[in-house]
Amino acid sequence: MRAHLGDQLVIKSQRAGEPGRDGEIIGLRHDDGTPPYDVRWSDTGDVTLVFPGPDAHVHHLEHHPQHARTEPGRPDASGVPVPVPVPTPTATVPVGVGPGDIGRRVAAERRRRRLTREETARRARVSPEYLRYIEEHPAAPTPATLIRLSDALGTTVAALRGGGADAPPAQGRALRHPRLRDLDPKECRALLAGHGVGRVAVTTPEGSPAVYPVNYDLLDDTIVFRTTPGSAPAKAVGTDVAFEVDHVDAALSQGWSVLAVGPAAAVTDPETVRDLSRRVHTTPWAGGERDLWVSIRPTRLTGRRITQADDR
């Protein structure tokens, strides 16, 4: 019998008519996936060390090439059954994928409180191997596990899930050892291309500054967005403007920002407008008829990122 983290251990009932028992394998004691296993039972949420008997089998939920499951096949000439690989579903976590948001927040909070993985696992009543899995893969812990982890780390389930989206980012705590670094133009363009909402800063006819959020796209190193003629964002046309995008993770007290500065112009050429309408996929959230295309060609592109000092 071999298993992987996240597989399900199913034990048949010894009595006819009675349901069996199942649980999630959250800890492996051997690298090759052989028993015993740390199992979190679905009926109680308790975690126990299990040495499966003949009445137990493993239900594989993911395919891990390094621990391919086999079953005995037909005997060879010497009478020994030849192992035959058993196909399993495609992996939901591709090789090389890093930790998910929950795992990053768990690891950051653990480091912030100067707790070892073993101490945190003991407090949360999970195995260190499963905690490592949560921190290093896009895992989806059950609500019960999140509750125990939040208690062990002195935080909340909402914080581990990245809750508090409506709270001002400044309410987060600074990292113990923050690292602020400048982003090069290539990184800035990549972050601009991967976003969809930015802020355009303009000077109103009255001479006062104003900032407006817009849905935008980046095409051929040019920022484009749609608005209504005569609207506040339309005041950017014919002026040099600043355009900013950012991402702030208050739970981790880290994030990045990119600032593009350059002239804004109205796109009036019919062929160019048709090309934009075909290529741009971002729809203005405000709805309505917004048929004025505005382009910003950055002449200066800068950015900064805040991370934990030991992060890469």
Side-chain angles (χ1 to χ4, degrees):
M1 179 182 292
R2 298 178 187 273
H4 320 105
L5 290 174
D7 286 349
Q8 186 181 38
L9 181 68
V10 180
I11 298 180
K12 297 179 181 180
S13 174
Q14 297 293 329
R15 298 181 181 180
E18 290 188 3
R21 198 180 190 195
D22 64 87
E24 180 185 7
I25 296 176
I26 64 173
L28 301 177
R29 299 303 177 100
H30 302 292
D31 292 339
D32 61 357
T34 55
Y37 309 125
D38 291 303
V39 177
R40 183 179 58 231
W41 300 106
S42 60
D43 54 352
T44 64
D46 294 335
V47 177
T48 58
L49 180 64
V50 179
F51 292 81
D55 56 345
H57 72 275
V58 173
H59 177 55
H60 297 268
L61 300 182
E62 297 179 357
H63 172 59
H64 299 255
Q66 66 270 32
H67 298 309
R69 184 164 59 98
T70 61
E71 288 184 354
R74 295 181 179 180
D76 59 12
S78 62
V80 179
V82 178
V84 178
V86 178
T88 52
T90 303
T92 59
V93 181
V95 175
V97 170
D101 286 345
I102 290 179
R104 290 190 301 112
R105 295 187 181 103
V106 168
E109 191 64 36
R110 179 174 61 77
R111 289 195 298 265
R112 179 179 292 156
R113 296 182 178 277
R114 298 184 179 181
L115 292 172
T116 65
R117 185 173 284 154
E118 290 70 22
E119 173 63 14
T120 304
R122 185 186 64 78
R123 292 185 180 187
R125 291 182 288 125
V126 300
S127 72
E129 290 84 359
Y130 185 56
L131 182 56
R132 178 188 295 275
Y133 180 78
I134 291 175
E135 291 186 354
E136 297 179 356
H137 297 80
T142 65
T145 299
L146 284 177
I147 290 173
R148 291 197 298 271
L149 280 171
S150 64
D151 288 343
L153 295 170
T155 184
T156 65
V157 171
L160 293 181
R161 284 176 169 166
D166 293 330
Q171 290 186 353
R173 293 171 294 175
L175 294 169
R176 185 179 298 276
H177 301 291
R179 178 193 181 201
L180 177 64
R181 71 176 182 89
D182 293 329
L183 303 177
D184 60 41
K186 182 178 179 180
E187 291 176 294
C188 290
R189 281 192 292 271
L191 292 172
L192 268 174
H195 236 49
V197 176
R199 282 161 287 281
V200 56
V202 302
T203 301
T204 67
E206 295 76 22
S208 58
V211 178
Y212 304 101
V214 294
N215 300 95
Y216 78 96
D217 272 85
L218 183 71
L219 298 178
D220 303 324
D221 291 335
T222 299
I223 300 165
V224 294
F225 64 89
R226 278 178 285 180
T227 188
T228 303
S231 65
K235 294 180 174 64
V237 173
T239 67
D240 282 341
V241 300
F243 188 86
E244 191 265 354
V245 295
D246 60 47
H247 176 71
V248 176
D249 191 330
L252 293 181
S253 301
Q254 62 187 31
W256 56 262
S257 66
V258 171
L259 181 66
V261 177
V267 180
T268 57
D269 178 66
E271 184 176 346
T272 305
V273 170
R274 285 193 295 270
D275 183 59
L276 288 176
S277 300
R278 185 181 71 255
R279 296 175 61 191
V280 169
H281 303 291
T282 299
T283 303
W285 291 357
E289 293 296 328
R290 300 178 182 274
D291 50 9
L292 173 62
W293 286 92
V294 178
S295 68
I296 302 173
R297 288 186 175 274
T299 56
R300 188 168 79 250
L301 195 58
T302 58
R304 297 190 297 178
R305 183 189 292 275
I306 298 176
T307 60
Q308 182 73 19
D310 56 357
D311 288 349
R312 299 298 180 189

